[in-house]
Amino acid sequence: MDDTGDTALIARCLGGQQDAYEAIVTRYQRGLFNVAFRMLGNYEDARDATQNAFVKAYEHLDSFDPEQRFFSWLFRILKNECLNVLRARRPSQPVSLDLPSARGADPVEVRERQRAIQLALMSLSTEYREVVVLRHYTDLSYDEIAAALGIPTTKVKSRLYTARQQLGELLMDWRVAR
Amino acid sequence: MTNMNDPWPDDEVTRRLNDLPEVDPPSTMVQDVMATIARRGAARATHSVTPTKRGEIMAKKVLWIVAAAAALALVAMRVVGYPPVEKGTEATIGAAQRYQSPQISSADVKTGDAQLQAFLQSDVFRQLTTDKAARQALKNKDFQRALSDPAVRAALVSPDVRNAIAAMGAANTGAKQDAMSVRLEAVSAKYSALAAALEASPALRLALVSPDVVAAMGASNALGVALAKPDLAMFLAQDAAINAVMSAPDVALDAAAAKD
């Protein structure tokens, strides 16, 4: 994600030019939506969370600190939206994993594998899942992840280590079960 | 998207995480966000008009007048004795004729036009219209009957049930109905979630011996997305939604095929 021009676009938005925000949404929708999708495991929920995050970001654009990376700020808003969705889910409610169509030699097997990986991600606690998602599905550095999450960089690294250990065990179980 | 600075570029977990593909955001995301912002801006502008003191006083006056009129009407009814009581019914004691509502059947559950309209304008609906397998399944009467059964809709929410059906479809595309019955028994013996769903709904069993339905449920991602949500699945049992999917021009199908 390239930050070039974000400051200018934000300044134009704050000056009342709504079309500048359209450029911001276009620029960040893919990254933000994929983070939401991996956090929530559901296409519709990810769409709603991303959309709400963009709208709330617009409404509070004047509180954005240009010293920060814009994506990190957007992510903090998105994270709250995702937490709201997760809280609203009943504990017994199954997560419907809307995975994109598989392409390859055996689409059923590919889908099964992707489903198992997403299920493993979903079984991590939110604080572990978010570090894995930010590390593997965005190009944020450790320091940027730490800034986005509001925790020290060392904690990011330790959480990522534990999360990966847990993922390894979960995916190992899945392979054995197969 | 893969982070190139990972200290574990080749390990199993990284490889597995990289197996998850990047997902396209909804094509209407930008328009939807901008429309919501515009709508909220307009609403805020409307609400920000401060009512005048005079307007507030008038509203309070009207409220008092209406309340006084209602109180007067109640007193008058009491004095005049309205509604009149028929002769011979005074002090009648008997069993109360309580209203007993009949059991609600699935046919009684109708969604509002607004909800249906929203569904017809959704991404899922658009995907269904361009999905040949989904359209094939929706034409099937047994499948329509099954979807009108709440037990079936509830069962299809479970990814385990849908995966069991998908596995069945992959092995039996083009199979005869008898062979499908045999296969269904075999698969349900292996997948307890499917066995429980079949137990709960005979309509599901009828639908799943249809090769068209099973093949479509295995092949159609759009159908999978719709069936994962009982409220969306409910629309697919309605004539209006089915007709709308079927009447989508073949141009949409051709375009989807060309894109693939």
Side-chain angles (χ1 to χ4, degrees):
Chain A
M1 267 152 274
D2 180 15
D3 282 343
T4 318
D6 279 351
T7 317
L9 286 170
I10 292 164
R12 278 177 55 202
C13 290
L14 292 172
Q17 294 179 42
Q18 225 174 56
D19 60 323
Y21 197 64
E22 198 170 323
I24 290 179
V25 179
T26 306
R27 178 178 291 187
Y28 288 106
Q29 59 168 336
R30 192 172 190 85
L32 214 59
F33 176 79
N34 271 275
V35 168
F37 184 65
R38 294 298 161 217
M39 288 293 290
L40 298 171
N42 177 286
Y43 195 89
E44 306 291 326
D45 287 345
R47 183 194 61 191
D48 292 347
T50 311
Q51 203 168 304
N52 288 344
F54 275 125
V55 172
K56 285 188 180 162
Y58 180 81
E59 288 172 345
H60 298 94
L61 209 52
D62 53 354
S63 67
F64 169 66
D65 172 8
E67 295 291 307
Q68 292 180 50
R69 189 166 172 178
F70 189 64
F71 182 81
S72 306
W73 184 71
L74 271 178
F75 169 77
R76 277 206 297 279
I77 299 171
L78 177 74
K79 182 187 164 183
N80 287 331
E81 291 301 316
C82 291
L83 288 176
N84 288 341
V85 172
L86 293 170
R87 267 187 228 115
R89 277 183 192 162
R90 283 169 292 156
S92 57
Q93 192 177 336
V95 180
S96 73
L97 298 176
D98 309 330
L99 297 171
S101 302
R103 294 178 196 285
D106 186 350
V108 174
E109 214 224 298
V110 173
R111 276 175 69 96
E112 271 294 287
R113 192 171 62 235
Q114 291 175 352
R115 206 179 137 264
I117 299 162
Q118 181 67 43
L119 269 178
L121 265 180
M122 295 305 292
S123 12
L124 296 178
S125 68
T126 311
E127 58 183 25
Y128 286 145
R129 197 185 320 148
E130 62 191 9
V131 285
V132 173
V133 168
L134 288 179
R135 187 64 187 158
H136 286 274
Y137 303 111
T138 72
D139 64 351
L140 297 185
S141 66
Y142 284 121
D143 289 340
E144 285 166 337
I145 295 172
L149 297 177
I151 56 175
T153 308
T154 48
K155 198 150 200 169
V156 171
K157 288 180 180 172
S158 70
R159 279 188 191 174
L160 192 59
Y161 178 80
T162 312
R164 290 174 55 87
Q165 295 284 103
Q166 290 184 7
L167 274 178
E169 283 165 23
L170 287 164
L171 293 171
M172 177 75 78
D173 288 347
W174 175 73
R175 282 201 305 277
V176 171
R178 299 286 296 165
Chain B
M1 205 181 299
T2 308
N3 201 314
M4 299 308 288
N5 301 320
D6 269 331
W8 325 271
D10 294 322
D11 81 356
E12 181 70 14
V13 174
T14 303
R15 268 204 305 277
R16 290 288 169 219
L17 289 170
N18 292 344
D19 273 349
L20 287 183
E22 214 179 25
V23 182
D24 290 333
S27 54
T28 57
M29 172 74 77
V30 179
Q31 294 95 299
D32 290 345
V33 169
M34 297 314 291
T36 309
I37 287 171
R39 213 168 34 240
R40 286 202 188 182
R44 206 172 297 137
T46 312
H47 289 308
S48 66
V49 177
T50 317
T52 62
K53 196 80 180 162
R54 197 173 164 183
E56 276 180 297
I57 292 167
M58 273 306 288
K60 276 185 185 168
K61 270 186 184 172
V62 170
L63 194 69
W64 276 113
I65 289 168
V66 171
L72 270 175
L74 281 173
V75 171
M77 281 163 72
R78 180 103 183 161
V79 171
V80 176
Y82 184 84
V85 179
E86 280 178 39
K87 270 205 161 178
T89 56
E90 302 95 334
T92 302
I93 299 172
Q97 294 289 313
R98 292 206 178 101
Y99 173 71
Q100 294 187 333
S101 66
Q103 260 326 71
I104 295 173
S105 71
S106 61
D108 296 317
V109 181
K110 301 277 185 229
T111 47
D113 281 348
Q115 285 174 291
L116 184 61
Q117 279 307 318
F119 170 68
L120 296 180
Q121 287 165 15
S122 67
D123 285 339
V124 175
F125 176 76
R126 204 168 30 255
Q127 283 159 11
L128 285 169
T129 58
T130 55
D131 190 320
K132 207 169 182 175
R135 288 170 67 155
Q136 191 72 19
L138 288 172
K139 265 199 299 199
N140 188 297
K141 290 286 172 205
D142 288 330
F143 188 53
Q144 291 170 13
R145 259 191 296 277
L147 284 184
S148 63
D149 182 347
V152 173
R153 294 199 298 268
L156 292 174
V157 172
S158 157
D160 290 339
V161 172
R162 294 201 309 278
N163 286 334
I165 297 170
M168 200 181 140
N172 285 279
T173 309
K176 292 273 189 312
Q177 201 156 334
D178 287 348
M180 293 299 287
S181 286
V182 174
R183 178 68 183 158
L184 180 60
E185 292 309 320
V187 172
S188 64
K190 196 172 157 195
Y191 293 88
S192 57
L194 180 61
L198 290 171
E199 187 74 27
S201 170
L204 183 62
R205 185 179 294 277
L206 269 177
L208 292 184
V209 293
S210 161
D212 281 350
V213 171
V214 175
M217 287 179 72
S220 168
N221 190 45
L223 200 57
V225 171
L227 295 180
K229 294 187 177 248
D231 49 343
L232 296 187
M234 185 171 63
F235 289 119
L236 295 180
Q238 292 187 19
D239 288 345
I242 295 165
N243 291 340
V245 174
M246 293 308 156
S247 59
D250 287 341
V251 177
L253 274 180
D254 295 342
K259 200 176 163 193
D260 285 344

